Amino acid sequence: MDELNDFTEEREESTFDLKAELFKYLTYWKWIFLGFLIGGLIAYLYNRYTIPKYNTEATMMIVDDQEKNAMNATPSGGGAIFSLEDDGIQNHIEKLKSKQLVESVVDELDHNISYFIEGNVITVEAYKSSPVLIEFITPDSIIHFTSKNLKVTPTSDIAFKLEEEASGYSESHNIGELIKLDNIQFTILPKSGEEEGTFRKTSSVNIKIQPLRQVAADYISKLQIAQKGQAKDILALSLVQPTPEESEDFLNKLMERFNEEGVKDKQEVAENTTQFIQDRLEMITTELDSVEVGIAEFKRENRLMDISSGASEFQSKFSAAEQEIFTLETELSLLESIEEVLRNQGNYELLPEVGISEGGVSGLINSYNTLVMERNMYLKAGTEKNPLVETITEQLDSLRENLYENIESTRRSLNVRLRELNQRENVAQGQFSNFPGLEKGMRSIERQQQIKEQLYLFLLQRREEAAISFAATASVARVIDAAFTNNAPVDPKPWLILVGGFIIGLIIPILIIFLKNMLDTKVHHKGELQSLTKHVPFIGEVPRITGEQSEQIELNDRSPLAESFRILRTNLAYLIQNKNKDRGEVIFITSTIKGEGKTFISYNMARTLGSTGKKVLLIGADIRNPKLHRYADVAMGEKGLSDYLYDFEVTENQIISKDQSGSIKIDMALSGPIPPNPAELLMNDRMEQLIKYASKIYDYVLVDTAPTMIVTDTLLISPLADTTLYVVRADLTDKKMLDFPKELKQQGKIKSPAIILNDVDYSKFSYGAKYGYSYGYGYGYGVDRESRWQRIKNRMTGKKS
């Protein structure tokens, strides 16, 4: 078998074998299948006992004030005064999610009080179906800040047990009895309409009382609002909760309260405007009466009955200039009225819009009213110390000052234009030197009368518009779809959870196996010796011995252990067949570290060779840690190798003893007493002398040596060997140590090495064809065991195997 000795350095190739990697996992198929089933079971139980959550939706459209306001039916349109400035769709969304609005909805629906019925596994909320109800005597102002978890357990038709875990309260009470617990008072009543005798059969009910602000914050975090439609003026409200009826009530009530507050804000503006107009009308009426009395006095004093015919020519020439003067003086009067209201009214109240376009006064008034309404909205949910309120207040103060400055600058501008018109009128008037001076005085009085009349009619019209606006204020939003709940739950999703559970259950054991294999650095089978067997021949492997099996082979032994050593003997014969036959073969058995079974291999290899009738000598050369005496039936006082090495008077025959145990006869030379200087003893010529003597008498001389990595004993005497059997133990030898025997061969420190894999557990491997596990142990040579499928097929066809 020359090819066994012809090992040269080869280029490193990929040793990855997909089939082998798969079988690493398929070996643990039972654990993988168990993880698969457990993952599916956990997913099923999660779906079975998790309370599903449903998505509730509602849709509403924001109404455009400019187009939908009822004041558009008035002659002037009404929009200049009474339509609010568009806050934008985002402002409406913020209002819908405001704490003040949501808290008012939660308070009205009593959603801060929840009822739960205990089941065998889970506890479900009984919304509007609780068999008991709690009625508070304590004011809502205290209840809204209370946090309690009460448990009501009926004990009879009229009695129940009340428990509160936080305070340790546990007492029995009757239905309708006044109960005092900490700072609250309440009564427990059965639900009206229940049949008599059903109260005692009711399961325990948990009554959960939460602070109003906490429940509102929870709703705000869950509430989702999205814009829809081409104009983005449609809002889609959605809420995901376990109780669909509770979500539907909340969304419907939220949209209702949002409309109510929007209408209330508009009506407040209209009411303030009406009051302002009424006050101005009373003042204008007095001034108009005074002007008319002045006309009558003027005519009486100057004895004038009709001066309009005398001034007709003057009127026709200067009507345009007078009309401008009239308009300017009207706007000046309105500016004075607005300024007077601004100075006399309280801080941060709504201002009337009187339609003055000069100088941007109307725009500032609209902005001022918008900020006032926004400030009032935040004050409902907080105090003036709220940072948002303080910010708006600063903006209002700044806007108020701007309004004063704007009114003053507008008044100066109007006065300049008025002086220019009066100058033009005076110049023109000079051309009519013959026109009586009385005409001018009369016309001035009449002009004052016209101004008062126009202002009076204007305010009358605005008062009617304000009254109509107050009575017919349009809704802020229109509900398109009331709240509705989809039938399918959004969480959990049963099929997704179930498939995910199966997948996770499958992945976890595979991942554990992967980590185990990745962290495992031990040698387990022949396939993991490929990096070593490219350089050192592999002659066989020895199976693992269980507790019931013998550690030594016997004559005609048919056990897997005996068969494996026969294979080793056959391969060893091929390895040494071309060597000299003039003396016996000297075989060293060694390993990398202790515990790899070299003594076990040495002893059974010697017995296997001896079973063929050959003369075999087994020498225990591991004099530091002798183990061979465990297998020998030799008295402990007999001389051994260490005696022979240091005592030149001891002969070879004195240390060689006959092994009389069993039917296989081999000679043995034990290690003897442990010396203090093993390396020095092995370096002398006595060891070489012993080997030469034994090789002339015996066919095989097997030497059980010390581990090569731990001590240098084996390397000192390795030149005496013809062949070195290097033992690697499965599940013990680290893969990193496989480079050590390869380096020893490359450096020439051991002669003709061959690898033996010891302690292989065949039960772990189903992929045996690649690694040589198909020995047929226990079935006899030349007899193949039928597969399970073949046996089933034979039974079906009636064929005997």
Side-chain angles (χ1 to χ4, degrees):
M1 195 172 176
D2 296 335
E3 62 273 13
L4 285 176
N5 297 320
D6 187 17
F7 278 81
T8 57
E9 294 297 327
E10 299 178 358
R11 181 175 58 88
E12 292 293 332
E13 297 179 357
S14 174
T15 60
F16 179 76
D17 188 330
L18 178 60
K19 190 175 182 181
E21 292 297 322
L22 289 177
F23 272 98
K24 286 182 181 179
Y25 295 94
L26 293 179
T27 303
Y28 302 94
W29 70 269
K30 294 181 180 178
W31 292 104
I32 295 175
F33 184 68
L34 179 63
F36 178 78
L37 293 181
I38 292 176
L41 178 62
I42 293 175
Y44 169 78
L45 294 176
Y46 179 84
N47 289 331
R48 175 67 177 80
Y49 296 108
T50 299
I51 300 176
K53 294 182 180 181
Y54 298 87
N55 184 36
T56 304
E57 299 179 351
T59 309
M60 61 187 299
M61 183 174 68
I62 302 301
V63 178
D64 187 357
D65 290 335
Q66 298 293 336
E67 297 179 0
K68 301 295 187 290
N69 199 302
M71 289 308 300
N72 287 334
T74 62
S76 65
I81 294 182
F82 301 104
S83 62
L84 295 178
E85 183 179 351
D86 186 10
D87 293 334
I89 198 71
Q90 289 298 328
N91 288 351
H92 290 297
I93 293 176
E94 292 300 323
K95 290 178 183 177
L96 281 167
K97 300 181 75 171
S98 64
K99 291 183 180 179
Q100 178 269 332
L101 182 61
V102 175
E103 286 180 5
S104 65
V105 173
V106 173
D107 183 24
E108 186 172 351
L109 296 176
D110 290 332
H111 281 186
N112 58 320
I113 303 172
S114 305
Y115 301 86
F116 297 90
I117 297 180
E118 292 185 351
N120 294 329
V121 179
I122 58 176
T123 300
V124 295
E125 183 175 359
Y127 183 70
K128 294 185 177 179
S129 61
S130 172
V132 299
L133 298 174
I134 185 171
E135 290 189 359
F136 291 98
I137 310 301
T138 305
D140 290 344
S141 58
I142 298 177
I143 300 300
H144 289 170
F145 295 93
T146 301
S147 178
K148 294 288 182 185
N149 195 346
L150 309 176
K151 182 178 180 180
V152 177
T153 304
T155 56
S156 68
D157 287 339
I158 61 172
F160 59 89
K161 184 179 180 181
L162 180 65
E163 299 174 273
E164 209 275 321
E165 184 177 355
S167 61
Y169 182 87
S170 180
E171 297 289 342
S172 295
H173 298 278
N174 293 327
I175 292 175
E177 178 184 346
L178 180 63
I179 303 172
K180 296 181 180 180
L181 181 60
D182 295 338
N183 59 337
I184 61 173
Q185 298 181 23
F186 57 90
T187 59
I188 301 294
L189 301 173
K191 187 176 181 181
S192 59
E194 294 289 340
E195 296 182 3
E196 185 176 356
T198 59
F199 180 73
R200 71 168 67 186
K201 302 176 182 178
T202 302
S203 301
S204 297
V205 179
N206 288 335
I207 304 176
K208 188 175 183 180
I209 307 169
Q210 301 179 78
L212 185 68
R213 180 161 296 181
Q214 177 181 331
V215 178
D218 184 55
Y219 268 113
I220 292 173
S221 65
K222 294 179 181 177
L223 181 61
Q224 299 294 325
I225 304 177
Q227 296 176 239
K228 296 174 61 177
Q230 185 175 2
K232 300 296 183 181
D233 58 347
I234 297 177
L235 298 181
L237 287 71
S238 62
L239 199 61
V240 177
Q241 290 194 133
T243 311
E245 297 84 358
E246 186 177 10
S247 300
E248 291 174 2
D249 290 347
F250 175 79
L251 291 180
N252 288 330
K253 182 58 67 174
L254 180 67
M255 293 187 294
E256 179 183 337
R257 292 301 301 270
F258 176 75
N259 258 329
E260 290 176 357
E261 294 206 359
V263 171
K264 181 179 179 182
D265 289 341
K266 289 185 177 182
Q267 288 180 341
E268 184 178 354
V269 174
E271 185 177 1
N272 291 340
T273 302
T274 302
Q275 184 62 42
F276 166 77
I277 293 174
Q278 185 63 36
D279 295 340
R280 297 305 299 167
L281 276 174
E282 294 176 359
M283 184 180 66
I284 294 300
T285 301
T286 302
E287 293 178 354
L288 187 59
D289 290 343
S290 175
V291 171
E292 290 177 347
V293 170
I295 292 175
E297 292 287 341
F298 183 84
K299 289 182 177 181
R300 186 181 306 110
E301 291 177 358
N302 295 281
R303 299 178 180 180
L304 296 174
M305 297 300 297
D306 185 12
I307 62 173
S308 58
S309 58
S312 58
E313 182 178 357
F314 180 80
Q315 181 69 28
S316 61
K317 292 182 180 180
F318 302 104
S319 58
E322 289 180 346
Q323 183 63 36
E324 289 186 23
I325 294 173
F326 164 74
T327 302
L328 294 177
E329 290 182 349
T330 300
E331 292 184 355
L332 284 172
S333 179
L334 289 174
L335 283 175
E336 291 176 358
S337 301
I338 290 295
E339 187 176 14
E340 181 179 354
V341 170
L342 192 62
R343 296 186 184 280
N344 294 334
Q345 70 174 182
N347 290 333
Y348 315 124
E349 294 181 2
L350 295 171
L351 295 176
E353 172 55 56
V354 292
I356 300 176
S357 59
E358 184 71 19
V361 175
S362 295
L364 290 175
I365 292 175
N366 286 336
S367 299
Y368 186 90
N369 287 340
T370 300
L371 289 176
V372 169
M373 288 187 290
E374 187 175 356
R375 180 177 182 272
N376 292 338
M377 181 186 70
Y378 284 116
L379 283 175
K380 293 178 181 179
T383 64
E384 292 186 353
K385 299 299 183 179
N386 190 319
L388 292 175
V389 174
E390 292 180 349
T391 301
I392 295 175
T393 301
E394 293 176 0
Q395 294 177 359
L396 285 172
D397 294 336
S398 176
L399 193 59
R400 191 183 187 96
E401 294 299 324
N402 291 340
L403 193 57
Y404 279 125
E405 295 176 359
N406 195 279
I407 291 174
E408 184 62 29
S409 63
T410 303
R411 181 188 291 113
R412 288 196 298 268
S413 177
L414 292 177
N415 286 329
V416 170
R417 291 170 56 190
L418 187 62
R419 284 195 298 271
E420 291 178 354
L421 290 174
N422 286 329
Q423 290 176 0
R424 288 167 52 189
E425 185 182 26
N426 292 333
V427 172
Q429 191 70 22
Q431 298 176 0
F432 299 93
S433 55
N434 295 328
F435 191 84
L438 295 176
E439 184 69 19
K440 182 177 180 181
M442 186 64 190
R443 190 162 298 280
S444 176
I445 296 174
E446 289 178 348
R447 185 165 56 207
Q448 291 295 325
Q449 182 188 27
Q450 291 175 1
I451 291 173
K452 302 300 181 182
E453 288 177 351
Q454 290 291 337
L455 186 58
Y456 182 78
L457 294 175
F458 173 79
L459 292 175
L460 283 177
Q461 180 181 351
R462 294 303 187 192
R463 186 177 66 178
E464 294 303 317
E465 291 175 356
I468 296 173
S469 178
F470 182 82
T473 304
S475 300
V476 177
R478 183 170 70 248
V479 177
I480 299 177
D481 287 323
F484 66 94
T485 303
N486 298 322
N487 294 328
V490 296
D491 182 46
K493 296 182 179 179
W495 282 108
L496 181 62
I497 297 295
L498 193 61
V499 172
F502 279 120
I503 292 176
I504 293 175
L506 187 66
I507 289 176
I508 288 178
I510 292 177
L511 183 61
I512 293 174
I513 296 170
F514 170 77
L515 292 175
K516 175 181 176 296
N517 291 336
M518 184 179 66
L519 298 175
D520 185 9
T521 60
K522 305 298 182 183
V523 174
H524 299 286
H525 52 75
K526 176 186 174 183
E528 295 177 339
L529 297 176
Q530 290 185 6
S531 62
L532 177 59
T533 55
K534 290 180 180 180
H535 307 275
V536 181
F538 180 83
I539 65 170
E541 54 193 14
V542 178
R544 177 167 296 177
I545 304 302
T546 62
E548 299 177 355
Q549 297 174 333
S550 175
E551 290 189 358
Q552 68 179 28
I553 63 174
E554 302 295 340
L555 191 64
N556 299 322
D557 194 344
R558 302 292 290 170
S559 67
L561 178 65
E563 294 293 345
S564 67
F565 274 97
R566 291 188 185 101
I567 294 173
L568 289 176
R569 181 184 64 193
T570 302
N571 289 337
L572 180 62
Y574 279 103
L575 187 64
I576 64 178
Q577 64 179 347
N578 295 328
K579 297 187 178 180
N580 295 326
K581 301 300 183 181
D582 56 345
R583 63 179 180 83
E585 187 73 19
V586 180
I587 303 172
F588 280 19
I589 297 94
T590 187
S591 64
T592 306
I593 58 175
K594 70 176 184 176
E596 292 182 299
K598 58 181 180 56
T599 303
F600 167 76
I601 297 294
S602 301
Y603 180 72
N604 284 289
M605 178 60 74
R607 292 178 66 83
T608 303
L609 293 172
S611 66
T612 62
K614 300 292 184 179
K615 295 182 65 176
V616 179
L617 173 63
L618 178 57
I619 301 174
D622 188 0
I623 57 179
R624 294 177 184 266
N625 186 26
K627 298 292 184 181
L628 191 58
H629 61 275
R630 295 186 307 172
Y631 300 97
D633 186 13
V634 179
M636 291 298 294
E638 292 192 9
K639 295 182 180 298
L641 179 62
S642 59
D643 297 303
Y644 176 80
L645 293 177
Y646 80 85
D647 189 353
F648 288 83
E649 294 182 359
V650 177
T651 64
E652 291 82 358
N653 291 329
Q654 288 179 314
I655 65 171
I656 296 175
S657 60
K658 305 294 183 180
D659 183 7
Q660 303 298 327
S661 62
S663 57
I664 302 175
K665 307 301 181 183
I666 61 172
D667 294 344
M668 300 178 64
L670 299 182
S671 302
I674 300 175
N677 54 344
E680 287 76 7
L681 291 177
L682 291 172
M683 290 174 64
N684 63 36
D685 297 336
R686 295 280 284 176
M687 186 65 187
E688 182 179 359
Q689 180 180 341
L690 176 62
I691 295 296
K692 287 181 180 180
Y693 170 81
S695 63
K696 292 178 182 180
I697 300 175
Y698 295 93
D699 297 314
Y700 293 97
V701 178
L702 277 66
V703 182
D704 177 24
T705 63
T708 56
M709 180 177 281
I710 299 177
V711 294
T712 63
D713 298 2
T714 302
L715 300 180
L716 293 175
I717 61 176
S718 64
L720 304 177
D722 297 321
T723 303
T724 304
L725 300 182
Y726 205 98
V727 180
V728 175
R729 186 169 182 175
D731 299 336
L732 177 67
T733 304
D734 197 287
K735 293 177 183 178
K736 294 180 180 179
M737 296 183 181
L738 298 179
D739 291 333
F740 188 69
K742 181 173 65 175
E743 293 173 357
L744 292 178
K745 181 193 175 183
Q746 292 172 348
Q747 296 170 5
K749 294 182 178 181
I750 56 176
K751 295 177 65 175
S752 302
I755 301 300
I756 297 176
L757 182 59
N758 182 32
D759 199 27
V760 178
D761 186 2
Y762 294 119
S763 64
K764 293 183 179 180
F765 308 105
S766 58
Y767 186 33
K770 175 178 176 62
Y771 304 115
Y773 297 146
S774 301
Y775 294 123
Y777 295 145
Y779 303 102
Y781 290 114
V783 180
D784 294 330
R785 186 182 183 185
E786 291 180 341
S787 66
R788 182 178 298 177
W789 170 247
Q790 186 65 37
R791 294 198 301 273
I792 295 174
K793 184 178 179 182
N794 291 341
R795 292 173 186 172
M796 295 176 64
T797 58
K799 181 180 177 180
K800 294 183 179 181
S801 57

